Structure formats: C-alpha cells, structure tokens
C-alpha cells in the first residue's frame, strides 16, 4: 500500500496441495523507526539566582514526579561563565552558590557548572561559529581558570562542567578537546553544547554527552537515524508552550535521546515541570516493591 506497512513473505506449490509456508521474512515500508525504550533523564539549565523561588518549584516538581534523583542534572550559572574577575561573583554570592550546590547534592541531583567557550560574546550570544570554542584555555580569565575557580568554590558538590558554545563544526576541535580532557582529568563529567547538530566525531566521542538540539522545537534531530548512542544525546528546548512539550518529549524519546528538557524560558522554572519530570519517570521500568510494601494473598 502507498501508506506503507509490514509485509510477510510466504510461498505455495502444488507438491503439497498449495499449502502456505511462511519464510519467516518480514519487511517494513513507510513505517518510522522508533528507538528502543530506555530510561530517560533530564539536564536542567537552571539559570536562576541561588535564592530564586524557582528552586522551590523544582524541588516540589521533582518530589511529585517519581523520577530517581540521579537522573536529574542541574546546570548552575553564576555569571554566564565570567567568574574570574575581581569580586565577580562577590564573596557573598559565592556563599549562596555553595549553599545551592550543597542543597542539590543532598537531594541526590548532579551539579554541573556553566563555562562558555566562545571567544566573542555579543548580547549574551556567540558572535558566530568561527568563535565557538576558541576561547583561550590558559590565562587568568581562560577556560582553565574558570574550571579551577568552580572546583575551588564548589568543591565535592561539583560533578561536571557544561561547555556552552562548544562548536562541533571542526573549526576548534583541538581547543575544545584540551578543555574537555582537562576537566575529565579532574574527575568531572563534560557536556558539550554546540548549539547545533554535531559534525565532529572526535568531540562527540570525547564528551560525556552532547546537546544535539537546542531550539524551540525538535526539528529533525535524530540520533537513532544517525547511529549515535542515546546515552550521549541531549535535547534542550526553550520557548515551549505548555501545550507542546509532551509532543516534543515523545519525539525525543522515539528518536533516541536519553536527556530531555523543555521550558518556556531558561530564566525560570516551567509551569509544566512536574508533568515533564513525571513523563521522564514513566520511561523507567517499574521498581520492585520493598518487602514492607508487598501484600501476599493466600487462597
């Protein structure tokens, strides 16, 4: 049929009275390939002040969702990565960020710190692909200095770094690889955000995970079709209405993304976060009931 479908192959001969014999072959035409079901997780760009009310909303949504805490990764962003200048952030501000990181750890979340790898940021955006990833590694305000500052301030509560504007175009592979290797040598996980689909196999392999789609909709990003592992594939969506996130989540799941997060803005907690975390939790196999919660009925 023109709409596609599943076709099986059989044969018949006069030898046995034209009985049907199944060849055991099956082909599908026009049917979308769906990724194998895997437990999903979330990476939350929590670009909020450490005392913002959004934190309470996040904790409340998580508590009601049933999602395991280890599947929630939170990105802290004190100053869009500009943290090595005098009194920026201030000592008082760092104390608040330390308290927030400790709070996330005590909840069981994993905390990443924001580092921007763009060498020229204009109006909070990278000037272009040519600047994505070539920020100086060394120097008092380089990438290494920022990572070291986070390690100093956040200590054991820091579990990794989120490299924004880590271009996967092949322009700055060596520079981004140097930053990635340095962080991982410190025992930190590394998430790359190229802002677009990865075209750099070396960097994709090096990072613990990569944002393959950051936009207001899923577009055509499809790790499954590209042969990329779900465990390393991230979709982050902004400007998403409450009526749209569920469809986008379903698309992410069917295309082989492990990590998914949607929000109307990065600067506050989305109103639909509880439902979103519950949807992610629903991808996890049902856990066995504890002995205390089991009921045995003898007949």
């Amino acid at each position: 049929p023109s709409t596609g479908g599943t076709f099986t192959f059989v044969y018949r001969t006069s030898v046995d009275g034209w009985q049907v014999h199944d060849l055991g072959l099956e082909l599908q035409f026009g049917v979308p390939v769906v990724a194998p079901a895997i437990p999903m997780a979330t990476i939350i760009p929590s670009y909020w002040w450490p005392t913002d009310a959004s934190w309470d909303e996040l904790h409340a949504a998580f508590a009601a969702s049933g999602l395991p805490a280890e599947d929630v990764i939170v990105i802290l962003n004190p100053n869009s990565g500009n943290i090595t200048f005098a009194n920026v952030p201030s000592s008082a501000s760092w104390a608040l960020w330390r308290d927030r990181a400790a709070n996330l750890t005590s909840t069981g979340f994993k905390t990443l710190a924001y580092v921007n790898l763009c060498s020229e940021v204009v109006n909070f955006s990278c000037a272009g692909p040519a600047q994505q990833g070539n920020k100086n590694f060394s120097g008092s305000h380089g990438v290494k200095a920022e990572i070291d500052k986070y390690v100093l301030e956040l200590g054991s509560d820091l579990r990794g770094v989120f490299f924004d504007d880590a271009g996967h175009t092949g322009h700055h592979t060596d520079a981004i690889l140097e930053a990635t290797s340095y962080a991982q040598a410190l025992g930190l996980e590394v998430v790359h955000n190229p802002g677009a689909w990865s075209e750099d196999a070396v960097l994709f392999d090096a990072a613990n995970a990569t944002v393959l789609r950051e936009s207001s909709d899923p577009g055509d990003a499809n790790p499954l079709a590209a042969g990329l592992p779900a465990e390393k594939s991230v979709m982050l969506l902004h400007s998403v209405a409450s009526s749209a996130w569920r469809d986008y989540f379903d698309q992410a799941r069917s295309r082989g993304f492990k990590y998914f997060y949607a929000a109307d803005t990065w600067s506050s907690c989305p109103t639909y976060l509880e439902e979103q975390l519950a949807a992610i939790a629903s991808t996890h196999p049902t856990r066995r009931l504890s002995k205390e919660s089991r009921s045995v009925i003898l007949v």
Side-chain angles (χ1 to χ4, degrees):
S2 59
T3 56
T6 301
F7 298 83
T8 57
F9 293 83
V10 301
Y11 74 91
R12 294 187 299 178
T13 71
S14 60
V15 174
D16 55 3
W18 303 102
Q19 293 187 46
V20 176
H21 299 275
D22 189 347
L23 288 172
L25 298 177
E26 184 176 283
L27 290 176
Q28 291 184 331
F29 297 88
V31 178
V33 178
V34 177
I38 63 166
M40 293 181 68
T42 188
I43 297 179
I44 301 177
S46 55
Y47 299 168
W48 322 314
W49 188 245
T51 57
D52 193 275
S54 289
W55 293 109
D56 293 333
E57 296 168 10
L58 168 59
H59 282 286
F62 163 73
S65 71
L67 182 65
E70 61 267 24
D71 291 307
V72 179
I73 300 174
V74 179
I75 305 167
L76 293 185
N77 186 359
N79 192 43
S80 295
N82 299 300
I83 59 168
T84 57
F85 296 88
N87 206 37
V88 179
S90 66
S91 297
S93 295
W94 273 120
L96 295 176
W97 287 112
R98 283 194 296 272
D99 289 345
R100 180 53 60 191
N103 169 261
L104 295 173
T105 298
S106 66
T107 304
F109 297 165
K110 186 181 295 183
T111 300
L112 308 184
Y114 180 97
V115 176
N116 195 304
L117 299 185
C118 181
S119 62
E120 184 181 353
V121 177
V122 179
N123 295 327
F124 302 101
S125 298
C126 193
Q131 289 78 31
Q132 283 187 315
N134 66 340
K135 182 175 179 177
N136 288 335
F137 177 74
S138 303
S140 56
H141 304 302
V143 175
K144 179 180 181 298
E146 290 191 5
I147 295 173
D148 291 345
K149 181 67 171 177
Y150 279 126
V151 171
L152 175 66
E153 295 291 349
L154 302 182
S156 61
D157 292 318
L158 179 66
R159 298 290 301 279
V161 289
F162 180 82
F163 284 150
D164 202 8
D165 285 311
H168 278 211
T169 59
H171 286 112
H172 305 296
T173 300
D174 290 342
I176 299 171
L177 193 60
E178 181 180 23
T180 300
S181 299
Y182 179 75
Q184 291 174 333
L186 296 176
L188 301 174
E189 295 184 16
V190 176
V191 176
H192 287 176
N193 181 19
W197 184 261
S198 175
E199 301 291 347
D200 193 319
V202 172
L203 291 180
F204 184 87
D205 290 342
N208 296 90
T210 296
V211 180
L212 295 175
R213 179 67 176 178
E214 182 191 13
S215 187
S216 58
D217 60 63
D220 59 0
N222 193 323
L224 176 67
L228 300 178
E231 295 289 336
K232 301 183 70 169
S233 301
V234 185
M235 179 182 288
L236 300 180
L237 303 180
H238 57 78
S239 308
V240 177
S242 59
S243 59
W245 75 265
R246 181 66 204 220
D247 177 55
Y248 294 168
F249 167 77
D250 291 339
Q251 291 185 51
R253 185 182 186 189
S254 68
R255 296 180 189 179
F257 283 92
K258 176 180 176 67
Y259 299 96
F260 177 84
Y261 179 73
D264 47 359
T265 174
W266 297 147
S267 60
S268 64
C269 192
T271 58
Y272 48 81
L273 183 59
E274 180 181 329
E275 293 91 340
Q276 184 178 163
L277 296 184
I280 295 172
S282 72
T283 67
H284 290 246
T286 303
R287 294 184 172 186
R288 292 181 179 178
L289 297 176
S290 65
K291 290 182 179 180
E292 292 77 14
S293 62
R294 290 175 184 164
S295 298
V296 178
I297 301 175
L298 299 178
V299 179

